[in-house]
């Protein structure tokens, strides 16, 4: 059994946001489903796992190629942003998010939230959560050429923190996000929350836990 990495043994901690620190996946999928229906496409419930963690380009490509969406991509993404923001302010923090973020902050480790979401969505998601002020650096898909599963957002975060990617710990909940972290050269912990089997991450990382609390020091 592979030991869970200790965040304090790294030079920086990079947190994914959607699904990892805040349970936003329901809000995003509800918005995607609602908007797709308005454009004549019915998304099955199984599409939630298919769309999970994709950046805007990957989302549009999948909706088009797999589900037959024919909407203008730019217009659809603008509509989606407006639709989802109202839901994000009500998204609950994942159990253990507060304690883990505060633990990393108290250790004075450089840290960032690294997200496939636009900055507007990041603000809407994090504003209700007091603990989020402990991570002032937010790196968005808006800041790079390619979102996850490309490594760009994690490489950008490491550069802004002046830390080598290989000395960063990435905490992720999606296969796309874990792929981005590994491609950036970081150590990645995948958190399943019981939503995905550990085998989903088998080819990416040996570090798989079921909750954020597993990353906290024991009593």
């Amino acid at each position: 059994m592979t030991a869970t990495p200790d965040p304090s043994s790294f030079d920086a901690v990079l947190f994914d946001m959607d699904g990892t620190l805040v349970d936003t996946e329901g809000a995003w999928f509800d918005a995607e489903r609602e908007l797709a229906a308005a454009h004549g496409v019915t998304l099955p419930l199984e599409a939630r796992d298919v769309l999970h963690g994709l950046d805007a380009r990957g989302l549009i490509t999948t909706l088009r190629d797999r589900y037959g969406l024919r909407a203008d991509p730019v217009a659809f993404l603008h509509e989606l942003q407006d639709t989802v923001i109202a839901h994000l302010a009500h998204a609950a923090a994942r159990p253990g998010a507060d304690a883990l973020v505060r633990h990393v902050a108290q250790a004075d480790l450089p840290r960032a939230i690294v997200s496939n979401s636009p900055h507007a969505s990041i603000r809407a998601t994090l504003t209700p959560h007091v603990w989020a002020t402990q991570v002032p650096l937010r790196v968005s898909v808006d800041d790079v050429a390619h979102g996850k599963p490309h490594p760009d957002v994690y490489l950008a975060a490491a550069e802004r923190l002046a830390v080598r990617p290989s000395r960063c710990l990435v905490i992720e909940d999606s296969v796309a996000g874990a792929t981005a972290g590994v491609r950036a050269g970081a150590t990645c912990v995948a958190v399943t929350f019981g939503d995905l089997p550990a085998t989903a991450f088998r080819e990416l990382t040996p570090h798989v836990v079921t909750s954020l609390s597993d990353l906290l020091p024991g009593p």
Side-chain angles (χ1 to χ4, degrees), residues 15-18 113-118 122 139-141 148 153:
F15 298 97
D16 172 57
M17 181 188 73
D18 289 303
I113 286 169
V114 184
S115 178
N116 251 4
S117 289
I122 295 174
V139 181
S140 161
V141 70
K148 308 170 190 178
V153 280

Side-chain angles (χ1 to χ4, degrees), residues 19-108:
T20 300
L21 293 179
V22 185
D23 189 7
T24 59
E25 297 305 327
W28 275 99
F29 185 59
D30 287 347
E32 289 159 359
R33 212 173 184 205
E34 176 184 328
L35 195 54
H39 288 275
V41 174
T42 300
L43 292 180
L45 290 176
E46 310 85 74
R48 176 171 175 165
D49 290 340
V50 175
L51 302 176
H52 181 203
L54 297 179
D55 66 354
R57 184 177 301 177
L59 174 67
I60 287 294
T61 299
T62 304
L63 289 175
R64 181 193 65 210
D65 295 348
R66 185 161 182 165
Y67 299 108
L69 182 72
R70 293 294 175 260
D72 175 76
V74 174
F76 184 89
L77 290 173
H78 280 305
E79 289 180 77
L80 179 61
Q81 182 69 19
D82 291 340
T83 303
V84 78
I85 275 184
H87 298 279
L88 291 175
H90 305 288
R94 285 289 198 182
D98 186 336
L100 180 58
V101 167
R102 293 184 188 279
H103 171 68
V104 170
Q106 287 166 3
D108 201 27

Side-chain angles (χ1 to χ4, degrees), residues 167-201:
R167 291 298 305 150
C168 293
L169 178 65
V170 164
I171 302 173
E172 272 283 357
D173 78 311
S174 72
V175 172
T179 300
V182 171
R183 286 178 176 174
T187 296
C188 181
V189 174
V191 190
T192 68
F193 300 105
D195 297 331
L196 287 176
T199 53
F201 299 96

